[in-house]
Amino acid sequence: MASAVRAIVLAAGKGTRMNSALPKVLHAAAGRPILHYVLDRCEELGAETVVVVGHQAETVRDSCAPREGLAFATQEPQLGTGHAVQVALRAVPDDANCPVLILAGDVPLLRTETLRALCALREGSAAAAALVSFRTAAPAAYGRILRDPSGRVAAIVEAKDATAEQRLIDEVNASLYVFDGRKLRATIQDLQPNNAQGEFYLTDVIGLLVAAGERVEALLVTDATEATGVNTTTELSAVERDLYERRTRALLAAGVSIERPDTVLIGPDVRVGTGARIRAFTILEGSTVVEAGASVGPFCRIENSRIGPNATILDSCLIRNSTVEAGASVGPFAHIRPDSVVGENAKVGNFVELKKTSLGPGSKAPHLSYLGDATIGGKANIGAGTITCNYDGVVKSPTAIEDGAFVGSNSILVAPVRVGRGAYVAAGSVITKDVPADALGVGRARQENKPGWASRRPKKH
Ligand code: UD1
Ligand code: CA
């Protein structure tokens, strides 16, 4: 089925002003490349999309690999935004009734509703093109929108080509357009690089269309931040702040409680359930899910992890690629490393590190432990200072602690080793052999008391 709209996303530029080896569109805001926000908008519109790649084309294309249905056009060398569209159009079927959206890849705050309004404006006015403009007190490097005496869009002049008078114009081009496909195709061939940068400017298409008697509309958006293009790391951090603000505002509106939202960073792919509580200075990243009734923070960072219903993550924890089941409690000051599971109603206390370890339901590791490559059953008790020696300098080995086992404080479990169901390990043991179910394992020097030793000891003068 032919889609109702086609999109071209411009992502071939180097982004010189970022002063970075990484292509501009791959710089991350709130944990995702800025290009991907624009691609999300295309996806929401159901647009068939061509991404123009050029500078580090391979890297940009690879970053899009998880997305389906994208086409790519390679622009080499990069001779300007107009040239990018010339290249892209070769990959776009020439069907008469399909409008073509053109979006810069560096506008991550863009909203889908704005693109819908842009398409509706062009269709409603039978214009050859419609573009998004906004007013700014600092028009700086943006292209200025020139209007004729009756107020109609006449052309766009780039800042570097503008006269001093034109530079005073505060209505600027957001680099978001929709075109009648046929008219775009006919006009794009006429571009000339006779300008300050020696480039083929897409913006010149507007003037050419108007000169040919066509109508061009501008959708003047009042929220300028939405149309902000990222050209410098300073702009990137401002955009990122807006993305986070939007996210916390939406979550608050959905019934999530967020303490001091200005200090909380919640990524775009994070899900937070209604009635969850996110405390101050907390960062939720990647594909993290916080279920209803859970509480996280203050000062926690959770990455790609699931925090189950009514679980509590206390102050200053780092949790990565792990799961904390319903009703469990973690922290303060716990480090849950990848591939760990804290079972239902289990407890991980302060200064405890888990790595590739599952702690079964109702089990407790309340203080000062390192548990690595361990499988711990339900209702087990891991005493303060327990360490799994999982690494001998060459290989990592597993530790199993079965249901209901009790590991006394300051024990060292030298893996591979097993503590059987319901077994005890005496405090201070170094366990190098399996402890059978129901047994007591003692592995420490026996204490000997020497009566009267202290008074017989030579005295100091
Ligand atoms: C462009 C517009 C300007 C507008 C501004 C908004 C032109 C000539 N100017 O300027 O009117 O106000 O965006 O942010 O279009 N790109 C390519 N191939 C190229 C050059 C650029 O794909 O040969 C891509 C870039 O990767 C980027 C986008 O086009 O995603 C915009 O390029 P950029 O260099 O940022 O344009 P501006 O100078 O900001
Ligand atoms: Ca730009």
Side-chain angles (χ1 to χ4, degrees):
M1 200 186 76
S3 89
V5 61
R6 300 188 184 280
I8 294 172
V9 177
L10 308 182
K14 180 164 186 279
T16 312
R17 288 165 279 176
M18 299 295 283
N19 291 322
S20 157
L22 190 68
K24 175 169 76 172
V25 292
L26 293 190
H27 280 261
R32 307 176 72 218
I34 55 176
L35 171 65
H36 287 227
Y37 291 93
V38 179
L39 297 178
D40 283 350
R41 304 292 82 81
C42 296
E43 222 170 277
E44 279 165 20
L45 288 174
E48 260 174 57
T49 303
V50 176
V51 184
V52 186
V53 293
H55 178 71
Q56 292 189 29
E58 207 61 4
T59 318
V60 177
R61 204 179 295 143
D62 286 353
S63 94
C64 300
R67 293 174 173 268
E68 282 169 19
L70 285 180
F72 295 90
T74 306
Q75 183 200 13
E76 189 61 57
Q78 295 91 46
L79 304 177
T81 49
H83 176 243
V85 172
Q86 287 172 354
V87 171
L89 282 173
R90 289 183 217 140
V92 176
D94 184 5
D95 42 6
N97 295 318
C98 199
V100 179
L101 273 166
I102 298 180
L103 314 174
D106 64 355
V107 196
L109 293 172
L110 174 65
R111 285 176 223 264
T112 311
E113 305 89 85
T114 302
L115 292 177
R116 290 212 172 92
L118 184 70
C119 292
L121 173 66
R122 192 193 67 84
E123 274 165 37
S125 57
L131 58 89
V132 174
S133 71
F134 62 98
R135 290 195 193 286
T136 167
Y142 284 108
R144 310 298 201 265
I145 307 288
L146 306 185
R147 290 179 180 265
D148 70 16
S150 68
R152 305 214 66 83
V153 174
I156 300 173
V157 61
E158 288 305 293
K160 286 185 177 148
D161 303 290
T163 63
E165 199 182 335
Q166 286 169 333
R167 269 200 286 273
L168 296 175
I169 296 171
D170 67 348
E171 186 190 3
V172 297
N173 170 32
S175 225
L176 308 168
Y177 321 77
V178 62
F179 289 91
D180 173 304
R182 282 272 159 85
K183 288 173 182 168
L184 172 66
R185 222 175 265 276
T187 316
I188 198 88
Q189 304 310 330
D190 299 339
L191 292 178
Q192 296 297 329
N194 48 11
N195 49 54
Q197 302 186 78
E199 289 182 359
F200 295 91
Y201 288 166
L202 174 60
T203 44
D204 284 348
V205 169
I206 301 301
L208 290 171
L209 284 170
V210 173
E214 296 288 351
R215 183 177 173 131
V216 175
E217 293 289 340
L219 179 72
L220 178 60
V221 295
T222 46
D223 176 13
T225 57
E226 166 174 15
T228 303
V230 171
N231 296 302
T232 62
T233 48
T234 309
E235 284 168 355
L236 180 65
S237 70
V239 153
E240 183 168 65
R241 214 172 86 175
D242 283 340
L243 283 166
Y244 281 130
E245 253 176 50
R246 264 193 202 178
R247 189 81 180 100
T248 48
R249 232 183 289 133
L251 288 168
L252 285 165
V256 172
S257 125
I258 303 178
E259 183 179 47
R260 285 286 306 277
D262 54 325
T263 68
V264 167
L265 310 179
I266 301 179
D269 299 323
V270 171
R271 287 198 291 119
V272 186
T274 309
R277 178 164 159 75
I278 310 301
R279 300 205 50 194
F281 297 96
T282 287
I283 303 177
L284 306 178
E285 297 179 327
S287 58
T288 291
V289 177
V290 178
E291 303 280 9
S295 169
V296 181
F299 298 99
C300 289
R301 184 161 80 84
I302 321 279
E303 189 185 305
N304 300 326
S305 296
R306 178 174 167 272
I307 310 301
N310 304 313
T312 305
I313 313 299
L314 293 166
D315 317 34
S316 300
C317 291
L318 171 60
I319 302 182
R320 302 170 64 207
N321 299 60
S322 290
T323 302
V324 176
E325 300 286 8
S329 167
V330 175
F333 302 100
H335 185 188
I336 311 296
R337 292 168 55 197
D339 303 320
S340 295
V341 177
V342 178
E344 207 172 316
N345 296 319
K347 179 183 161 76
V348 171
N350 45 200
F351 308 107
V352 171
E353 174 182 347
L354 262 55
K355 191 223 67 170
K356 250 193 207 172
T357 285
S358 70
L359 186 66
S363 289
K364 293 180 179 162
H367 337 266
L368 299 157
S369 286
Y370 170 63
L371 302 168
D373 301 304
T375 307
I376 302 166
K379 296 239 162 67
N381 189 87
I382 310 297
T386 297
I387 304 284
T388 54
C389 299
N390 60 329
Y391 185 50
D392 62 6
V394 182
V395 290
K396 302 243 165 80
S397 301
T399 299
I401 300 170
E402 296 183 348
D403 290 350
F406 184 102
V407 179
S409 296
N410 206 33
S411 292
I412 290 178
L413 307 173
V414 182
V417 76
R418 168 177 300 268
V419 177
R421 203 181 168 87
Y424 279 67
V425 169
S429 290
V430 177
I431 298 295
T432 53
K433 292 185 293 199
D434 290 359
V435 182
D438 205 34
L440 167 67
V442 190
R444 57 160 124 95
R446 197 176 282 277
Q447 178 175 336
E448 189 190 340
N449 291 336
K450 301 193 173 177
W453 181 89
S455 50
R456 284 199 306 274
R457 196 182 175 209
K459 297 283 171 298
K460 247 206 272 181
H461 296 290

